[in-house]
Amino acid sequence: MLTLLRKITPKPSLVSRVVTLQYSNDAPNFDMENPFEKEKKSCILCKNNIIPDYKNVKLISQFQSPYTGRIYGKHITGLCSTQQKLVEAEIVKAQTAGLMATYLKEPCYLGDPKLFNVDKPFRPHRF
Amino acid sequence: MITYELCLLLRVMPKPELTTTLKRAAEAIFEKGGIIRKLENLGTRDMPYKTSVHGAVHKKASYFLYEFNAPPSSLETLLDAYSRDVDIIRRQIYKKKAIEPFECTLNDEILPPAYRKDVQELISEARKLEKPKFSYNSGLDYYPFQK
Ligand SMILES: [Zn+2]
């Protein structure tokens, strides 16, 4: 059977041919946007459309350390630089106005939900 | 016209005394030719830190917020008048802020360093400081400078 088939198949011509490829008209359109592009990330305050205010102590004290009262950096809070600057300014304003503690987080705010994990910063600590 | 916010911490006292103190504070603004837009009661609560003023230590305070318009030159005298008021523990005047809408730039900030715009700018700044170097493929068959 095999020998019979071999005899039948014609030998390909040794002369090289220029093959011009042509796509049919119903080929898919590849000018579309990258379907695998990841979703654009935004920080938690921008996502919820919040602008920090010094009177809203419950909100801004979430960006304060309960141990030292200092403001967490943006590598921990995960805020964009604009929002981080606003939060830092509002915390200082609240502290000078006597609305917010300086060396600790007030005990009434200690049970608030955590917005970020201090031990797992978005970017590594510099120390 | 700039709108200011005045945050007043008042001594804890009964209601009639509180109203007279608030009226006194308001009249000080009116005397300077200002107008009051809003008066808000932020409640009475423990202060985050104790304060000693006018010979007494306060650990509790009533918080009030005035929103007012007044000539900027009068703010200093206003604060000075409040500092002499025995019932006022702490006072602070801030501008009422109006923030222009901005875009969140977090997506660009969490990129790897080589893709961040500020890092690229830093690198290009550092490249400017580099001294010109002799390139060996310039056709000269000897090194023209001292080695
Ligand atoms: Zn943001």
Side-chain angles (χ1 to χ4, degrees), chain A residues 40-43 46 51-52 54-55 78 80-81 83 86 90 93 95-101 106 123, chain B residues 5 7 9 45-46 48-49 63 65 90 92 94-95 97 99 102-107 109-110 116:
Chain A
K40 206 182 166 195
K41 277 184 184 171
S42 56
C43 66
C46 288
I51 283 175
Y54 74 97
K55 284 160 280 172
C80 62
S81 48
Q83 289 281 20
L86 285 174
E90 295 304 306
K93 272 166 85 177
Q95 285 170 343
T96 47
L99 291 164
M100 194 174 161
E106 272 180 89
R123 269 195 233 160
Chain B
E5 282 177 340
C7 191
L9 270 66
R45 66 179 189 104
D46 290 335
Y49 40 82
Y63 290 71
L65 185 88
R90 206 178 178 86
Q92 200 77 33
Y94 291 126
K95 262 188 208 172
K97 59 171 186 177
I99 290 164
F102 56 87
E103 280 283 301
C104 190
T105 51
L106 183 74
N107 204 43
E109 284 167 35
I110 52 172
R116 268 180 246 150

Side-chain angles (χ1 to χ4, degrees), chain A residues 31-100:
Chain A
D31 293 338
M32 65 191 282
E33 284 172 37
N34 183 6
F36 303 106
E37 204 165 83
K38 280 178 186 166
E39 204 177 314
K40 206 182 166 195
K41 277 184 184 171
S42 56
C43 66
I44 188 160
L45 292 185
C46 288
K47 205 188 289 167
N48 298 306
N49 209 1
I50 296 169
I51 283 175
D53 191 79
Y54 74 97
K55 284 160 280 172
N56 193 353
V57 184
K58 197 174 171 69
L59 170 75
I60 54 176
S61 69
Q62 283 179 304
F63 299 100
Q64 191 188 31
S65 165
Y67 306 107
T68 60
R70 296 192 63 186
I71 308 161
Y72 285 124
K74 72 173 175 183
H75 64 290
I76 295 172
T77 57
L79 296 176
C80 62
S81 48
T82 326
Q83 289 281 20
Q84 178 73 16
K85 236 183 235 174
L86 285 174
V87 165
E88 283 172 12
E90 295 304 306
I91 287 178
V92 171
K93 272 166 85 177
Q95 285 170 343
T96 47
L99 291 164
M100 194 174 161

Side-chain angles (χ1 to χ4, degrees), chain A residues 64-70 72 102-105 110 114 118:
Chain A
Q64 191 188 31
S65 165
Y67 306 107
T68 60
R70 296 192 63 186
Y72 285 124
T102 47
Y103 274 85
L104 64 142
K105 192 192 273 195
L110 283 177
K114 304 269 179 293
V118 183

